[in-house]
Amino acid sequence: MAELVQLLFAGLTTGAVYALVALGFTLIFQASEVVNFAQGEFVMLGGMVTVFAMKAGLPLPLSALLAVLVAVATGVLLHRLAIEPAKGATVVTLIIVTIGASILVRGLAQILFDKQFHALPAFTGDEPLRVLGAAILPQSLWVLGGAAAIVFGLWLFMERTLLGKAVRATAANRLAAELVGIDTRLVLALAFAVSAAIGAVGGILVTPITLTSYAVGTLLALKGFAAAMLGGIGNPVGAVAGGLFLGLLEAFAAGWISSTYKDGVAFLVILLVLFLMPQGLFGRRAVERV
Amino acid sequence: MIRRRLLQGVATAGLLLAAQPLAAAEPIKIGSFLSVTGPASFLGDPEKRTLELYVGKINAAGGVLGRKLELVVYDDGGDANNARTFATRLVESDKVVAVVGGTTTATTMAAIPVLEDAQVPFISLAGGIEIVEPVKPFTFKTPHTDRMACEKIFEDVKKRGLSKVGLISSTAGFGASMRNQCLKVAPERGIQIVADERYAPGDTDTTPQLNKIKGSGAQAIVNADFGQGPAIVTRNVKQLGLDLPLYQSHGVASKSFIDLAGPAAEGVRLPAAAMLVPDQLPDSDPQKKVVLDYKTTYESTQNQPVSTFGGHAYDGLMLLVQAIERAGSTDGVKIRDALQATKGFVGTGGVVNMSPTDHMGLDLSAFRMLEIRGGTWKLLY
Amino acid sequence: MSPGTRTKIAVLGVLLLVLLLVPILLPSAFHLRVAALVWINATAALGLALLMGQAGQVSLGHAGFMGIGAYATALGPKHLGLDPLASMALGTLAAGLLALLVGRPILRLKGHYLAVATLGLGILVHLVIVSEVPITGGPDGIQVPRLEFLGWRLVGPELWYGITGTVLLLAAWLALNLEDSATGRALRALHDSEIAASVVGVDVARHKLVVFVIAAVYAAIAGGLFALFNRFVTPDVAGFLRSIELVTMVVIGGMGSIAGAIVGAALLTVLPQALTLFHEYEHAVLGFLIILFMVFLRQGIVPGLAGLLARRRLA
């Protein structure tokens, strides 16, 4: 039992980060069909800016706010200076643009910050909580709670605000949205800004557990992408479910099957799921118009 | 008497005249390829800073053989294929006299054939034992091998009267190589490996693996990795409340490990070079002065704590400079001969005694056993 | 002469000219090594260009096939006592068979789902190479024996420049023929619309599979050549970043353009060598350049420049 709970929490904590990255992918994908491979860099910026702002003497909440602002500015700049000018290019071309952007952000981060690993202090102490014989870090609860709050906030925004409805309309049919007077350019910029903020918050929440460095973005982008696809891209519920599922897969594969091949087990399951459900767990079947 | 003086003076002047234009025209080129970015940037970055820092200092002090040193550094990003291309470039385009570099075993092994073919002396900064075993004519290395780390750790485990070890290692180069060596030397040292768990580079939670070690009957845990992994493992051991002695390797030997692992680092032991504890060395220790000098110079110019990795680069550069001076030449074969004749060189990694059959020149005494106490290193023996 | 034949002759002619000129203009072993790497990468990119440009399918795990070719060439002689060349042939066969086997289910997926499935495939190959240390040498890599042919030792940058260049020329010739064949035209139709293609009687699934296998074989050959030429391989050859690099080569050069794949491969192989000039800024500059190319030549370099030229001629 203790082992089960331990693995469960290990998987959920890692999975929550994947879920937030996947959610970022989904938002931008909905608005533009672009898979933004620079998504992991937002997580990196969240952690690194907070670390360096605290080193400069700012308190944690202010540092975190600054980090989110920096990430959002990066996201908006990415849209304005790279995605917007390439408007009309094929989706694959836009994906390469985001890959270029992630190399650029990482290249600048290694100069502006440094190449060392950094930690943040846990928000509410390091003393593990005992749950059914398992030891859970309080920070894990922050990560899970934070992820849940973000998902709920995003749902409220999408369902209850005019802007949110504009985003959904653009996602459903861009041309129709433009015809009813929605500024789709603004919607797309907004999608980049919100994705960046989500990524940055995720980065701040997990850095006390996972540590951070200028280079953590690549792996997160890869895992987040896999999670988004597993859930069914373009579906926020799918993104969260896919992220948590991937995290759990890795933890249980490491604990029960083979720690060497845990990533292999995770990707085998993804392949299997896609063979059986080619649109992912929650994806809808798209109809191709001829 | 006076005539002799005069003659000497004339001869010296003549030598100076002959040497002068040469010194002005031709610096001695030293090449380097390092993993300044990528997964091993944690090691490559301080190595690069050290080389640049000390080449500048040597030049300010008049250079070598009356000539300035010129350093050519390329960043291989941790990719072995890039390393080989840059090694070719150093030999063919830059025409370097010798190479000090190769952050990882993979980048080093990829470059060796190129440098051996060109008969360019090469001092590697990587740990893998295969670099100098079997001995290759022009290849040397400065860091301790991972096999030595395993031996030192197992020695300490035995001293504590324990014998069952749970191994947890990264699947990346350093971890995989040290895991291999530990599995190999364990039986010779009377150690039984009861668990052999691994994690991928970049993994941020190792509690599933440690949970398995918990159930394996291990009496001590050995972690083979550098960078972020060891800090995560150390924190996870604390989180799970595993009350077992935890050993890290020389791969974590920098102050940032203690900062990253936080209070969980208390009681962790590791084999490391004297570099980490210069103040605790007795005054009679030959390494004390060298290590203190390097530490002060590095920390006062780079604004970051010293690590043993930068020290490997310091040792490599100094070994090379002294060899060039002894050889009195920049000819590859002559430098090589001088390098392997190195005796009693005191570096940050230990006292180096090379020979044609030993191109590393360190023994187990170069490793100290340290324990982390009160947030800092404590020299045990 | 049909327009297809004219393009074919133009592309092969220019390629041959470049192949002959490089050793005359840049004779140092370093330059020849970089050039040989360009030819090897271009061979792999060519296969991917067929898959992406012709069949409209993205593979994010293509380096996996390169890894199979490279490691087969390294491991055959070590563990089975085989000739390196025979091992390379076996590796190529294995890569082709694997593509054939997993191709059917994987290619049923569309767009990004296909991308993540190929990504998974690449990661699995990489993971096996990294983890099975006693067999593969693990992350520290493995030496590859010298190639001997009729008692001749095949060494020297000039020789390998020639071998890799010849292979690329052959690969380009085959790819161009494929593009111009009935199958190729069917594939191009497929890129535009699968349903339309199947309505006019093209066996979509079969063609996709054929191209997938061809792309895998090209990558495996490139991997094998790399192992023989480099005489040392590490798991990086099969890594995720290599796969991304290959895709970037194809897109930057110009999707759907055989010449584009070669230009893209040349650019991404030579650029890091040129960017060492910028020292610590080299990665930032590389990222910036990729964005710049994609924004201003969004169809890729070759089609983009061709378009510019055509417009000027009209004006």
Side-chain angles (χ1 to χ4, degrees):
Chain A
M1 187 64 196
E3 192 200 357
L4 189 79
V5 177
Q6 194 73 53
L7 292 179
L8 195 69
F9 267 87
L12 285 178
T13 310
T14 315
V17 190
Y18 297 162
L20 289 182
V21 178
L23 203 57
F25 270 119
T26 303
L27 273 178
I28 292 178
F29 183 83
Q30 274 188 325
S32 66
E33 298 219 333
V34 173
V35 175
N36 173 29
F37 272 101
Q39 193 64 34
E41 308 310 324
F42 298 140
V43 182
M44 179 274 285
L45 283 175
M48 286 298 271
V49 174
T50 310
V51 165
F52 276 79
M54 282 185 75
K55 274 195 181 168
L58 293 183
L60 176 65
L62 217 57
S63 305
L65 185 68
L66 184 70
V68 174
L69 289 178
V70 169
V72 168
T74 310
V76 172
L77 280 179
L78 168 62
H79 171 247
R80 283 285 298 162
L81 301 181
I83 302 294
E84 180 72 27
K87 200 177 161 193
T90 61
V91 170
V92 182
T93 303
L94 290 173
I95 292 176
I96 301 295
V97 170
T98 67
I99 288 174
S102 79
I103 298 174
L104 176 62
V105 171
R106 216 166 33 244
L108 291 176
Q110 84 190 23
I111 303 166
L112 295 175
F113 305 123
D114 60 15
K115 299 187 191 86
Q116 308 288 316
F117 283 97
H118 296 279
L120 281 175
F123 298 175
T124 49
D126 284 318
E127 207 44 54
L129 310 166
R130 298 277 150 195
V131 181
L132 299 168
I136 316 294
L137 289 178
Q139 191 68 27
S140 281
L141 301 181
W142 275 98
V143 174
L144 291 174
I150 286 174
V151 171
F152 182 66
L154 195 66
W155 176 80
L156 273 185
F157 171 75
M158 288 292 202
E159 297 291 324
R160 297 291 153 88
T161 67
L162 199 60
L163 211 52
K165 284 176 182 161
V167 174
R168 280 168 53 216
T170 309
N173 188 331
R174 174 187 279 245
L175 189 64
E178 273 171 10
L179 284 175
V180 298
I182 293 172
D183 183 352
T184 53
R185 222 186 95 198
L186 182 76
V187 166
L188 191 51
L190 187 75
F192 271 90
V194 175
S195 284
I198 292 176
V201 171
I204 298 164
L205 289 173
V206 292
T207 296
I209 301 178
T210 64
L211 316 180
T212 192
S213 83
Y214 79 98
V216 296
T218 318
L219 192 67
L220 283 172
L222 190 156
K223 296 274 176 79
F225 174 60
M229 302 311 299
L230 180 63
I233 192 141
N235 183 327
V237 180
V240 174
L244 294 177
F245 187 38
L246 183 60
L248 288 172
L249 265 177
E250 287 182 7
F252 280 93
W256 286 353
I257 303 173
S258 151
S259 55
T260 306
Y261 280 105
K262 71 176 169 46
D263 287 337
V265 173
F267 271 99
L268 269 181
V269 173
I270 291 178
L271 285 177
L272 210 65
V273 168
L274 290 182
F275 289 161
L276 298 175
M277 307 164 85
Q279 308 292 321
L281 293 171
F282 292 84
R284 249 165 298 160
R285 176 160 282 276
V287 181
E288 189 181 357
R289 294 185 188 84
V290 183
Chain B
M1 186 67 193
I2 294 172
R3 229 178 69 188
R4 206 200 246 167
R5 268 257 178 93
L6 206 73
L7 270 178
Q8 258 180 359
V10 171
T12 318
L15 270 175
L16 276 176
L17 276 177
Q20 209 62 35
L22 223 129
E26 249 189 284
I28 300 176
K29 273 196 171 184
I30 295 177
S32 186
F33 58 95
L34 298 167
S35 307
V36 185
T37 56
S41 61
F42 191 67
L43 318 179
D45 191 44
E47 288 166 358
K48 176 166 180 264
R49 289 164 181 262
T50 301
L51 288 182
E52 284 172 347
L53 178 64
Y54 276 89
V55 164
K57 280 177 77 83
I58 291 170
N59 283 340
V64 180
L65 300 181
R67 294 161 65 181
K68 296 264 182 229
L69 294 182
E70 185 185 328
L71 181 69
V72 187
V73 187
Y74 295 119
D75 171 18
D76 59 43
D79 183 311
N81 178 36
N82 288 344
R84 195 181 181 107
T85 306
F86 283 129
T88 315
R89 186 167 174 180
L90 287 170
V91 171
E92 295 285 334
S93 298
D94 301 315
K95 309 225 180 291
V96 298
V97 164
V99 173
V100 179
T103 303
T104 69
T105 304
T107 56
T108 296
M109 293 309 285
I112 285 177
V114 175
L115 299 169
E116 285 286 336
D117 280 354
Q119 303 206 325
V120 171
F122 172 33
I123 304 179
S124 165
L125 312 179
I129 197 158
E130 59 263 50
I131 297 167
V132 289
E133 239 175 65
V135 168
K136 298 153 195 78
F138 289 86
T139 307
F140 299 80
K141 79 194 267 313
T142 55
H144 321 85
T145 63
D146 28 28
R147 181 187 297 169
M148 290 164 67
C150 297
E151 286 173 340
K152 189 83 180 176
I153 290 172
F154 291 159
E155 200 182 281
D156 196 63
V157 171
K158 280 307 237 187
K159 264 190 193 169
R160 285 177 160 179
L162 309 172
S163 65
K164 289 181 178 163
V165 164
L167 195 59
I168 177 163
S169 60
S170 152
T171 54
F174 180 84
S177 169
M178 182 165 161
R179 165 181 175 263
N180 253 359
Q181 295 300 329
C182 282
L183 290 175
K184 227 178 259 174
V185 299
E188 298 164 17
R189 298 264 157 179
I191 296 286
Q192 193 191 348
I193 305 286
V194 291
D196 175 21
E197 292 298 313
R198 312 178 71 183
Y199 53 89
D203 275 5
T204 53
D205 190 340
T206 56
T207 49
Q209 287 89 335
L210 289 169
N211 228 339
K212 273 166 97 178
I213 291 183
K214 188 180 176 183
S216 71
Q219 298 163 324
I221 303 173
V222 176
N223 182 201
D225 192 9
F226 63 75
Q228 169 198 30
I232 303 258
V233 169
T234 306
R235 285 159 163 245
N236 289 164
V237 167
K238 170 91 184 304
Q239 178 192 342
L240 292 179
L242 290 178
D243 202 16
L244 300 174
L246 172 61
Y247 288 87
Q248 291 290 350
S249 69
H250 53 315
V252 308
S254 78
K255 183 75 169 52
S256 69
F257 167 73
I258 302 181
D259 297 338
L260 290 175
E266 282 301 300
V268 169
R269 287 191 182 184
L270 69 151
M275 170 87 103
L276 296 178
V277 287
D279 316 314
Q280 295 172 44
L281 296 174
D283 287 335
S284 59
D285 195 305
Q287 277 189 274
K288 181 156 186 164
K289 188 182 160 339
V290 176
V291 170
L292 260 178
D293 271 358
Y294 172 69
K295 183 180 155 82
T296 344
T297 311
Y298 188 91
E299 290 184 345
S300 63
T301 51
Q302 305 298 313
N303 287 322
Q304 53 171 256
V306 75
S307 69
T308 49
F309 321 119
H312 299 324
Y314 170 87
D315 292 354
L317 182 66
M318 292 306 161
L319 276 169
L320 178 65
V321 164
Q322 292 189 7
I324 294 176
E325 271 167 354
R326 279 204 309 275
S329 153
T330 55
D331 176 68
V333 176
K334 285 187 183 146
I335 296 175
R336 188 271 313 268
D337 290 344
L339 263 176
Q340 64 188 13
T342 301
K343 291 278 178 267
F345 167 85
V346 183
T348 63
V351 179
V352 178
N353 291 300
M354 301 229 195
S355 73
T357 52
D358 181 0
H359 277 191
M360 175 176 67
L362 294 170
D363 56 28
L364 263 194
S365 72
F367 262 143
R368 321 289 167 122
M369 184 54 73
L370 309 185
E371 188 175 296
I372 297 168
R373 274 188 215 158
T376 187
W377 314 106
K378 175 85 185 97
L379 177 64
L380 293 182
Y381 57 90
Chain C
M1 215 191 286
S2 78
T5 318
R6 226 180 301 151
T7 325
K8 209 188 310 179
I9 291 172
V11 171
L12 290 177
V14 171
L15 184 60
L16 187 64
L17 198 67
V18 172
L19 281 173
L20 292 175
L21 276 180
V22 169
I24 298 172
L25 297 176
L26 301 163
S28 101
F30 162 61
H31 293 124
L32 290 180
R33 173 182 164 82
V34 174
L37 285 173
V38 170
W39 309 144
I40 290 169
N41 285 334
T43 307
L46 265 183
L48 193 59
L50 281 174
L51 183 68
M52 286 172 65
Q54 307 281 293
Q57 310 284 343
V58 183
S59 166
L60 284 185
H62 219 57
F65 294 115
M66 242 182 129
I68 291 176
Y71 270 85
T73 310
L75 300 180
K78 186 174 179 230
H79 296 290
L80 305 172
L82 290 173
D83 179 73
L85 218 50
S87 313
M88 179 176 154
L90 280 179
T92 308
L93 191 69
L97 281 177
L98 179 68
L100 193 66
L101 200 71
V102 299
R104 278 261 172 202
I106 277 192
L107 290 170
R108 268 180 42 224
L109 301 169
K110 300 223 162 51
H112 300 308
Y113 292 96
L114 179 83
V116 79
T118 50
L119 168 75
L121 193 66
I123 286 192
L124 285 174
V125 172
H126 181 250
L127 192 61
V128 171
I129 295 175
V130 168
S131 306
E132 295 306 316
V133 181
I135 299 171
T136 62
D140 282 342
I142 190 168
Q143 303 280 350
V144 183
R146 245 181 252 271
L147 187 61
E148 286 183 27
F149 192 69
L150 304 174
W152 283 67
R153 283 180 144 197
L154 300 187
V155 284
E158 295 86 1
L159 185 68
W160 277 104
Y161 177 91
I163 294 174
T164 51
T166 311
V167 170
L168 174 64
L169 206 59
L170 280 174
W173 179 67
L174 278 173
L176 285 164
N177 275 332
L178 200 73
E179 199 181 33
D180 200 34
S181 67
T183 321
R185 282 192 291 273
L187 290 171
R188 227 169 311 162
L190 222 160
H191 186 24
D192 292 325
S193 166
E194 255 175 50
I195 294 177
S198 60
V199 167
V200 298
V202 176
D203 185 348
V204 179
R206 193 172 151 263
H207 284 318
K208 272 196 196 173
L209 194 60
V210 167
V211 174
F212 191 59
V213 171
I214 290 174
V217 165
Y218 269 44
I221 288 175
L225 273 181
F226 173 74
L228 289 174
F229 155 73
N230 211 37
R231 285 181 38 221
F232 184 75
V233 283
T234 57
D236 294 332
V237 72
F240 170 64
L241 292 179
R242 285 291 295 163
S243 293
I244 292 282
E245 210 179 357
L246 286 173
V247 174
T248 311
M249 285 172 184
V250 174
V251 179
I252 267 201
M255 268 223 286
S257 157
I258 299 293
I262 300 171
V263 171
L267 191 73
L268 279 199
T269 312
V270 175
L271 212 50
Q273 293 297 326
L275 293 183
T276 54
L277 203 73
F278 292 94
H279 295 289
E280 57 259 53
Y281 289 91
E282 66 180 88
H283 295 272
V285 174
L286 178 66
F288 181 69
L289 285 178
I290 290 177
I291 298 176
L292 220 58
F293 272 117
M294 293 287 68
V295 169
F296 289 105
L297 292 169
R298 60 187 56 172
Q299 294 162 291
I301 294 170
V302 170
L305 290 182
L308 281 180
L309 277 178
R311 239 176 290 158
R312 184 163 297 174
R313 213 171 292 161
L314 280 177

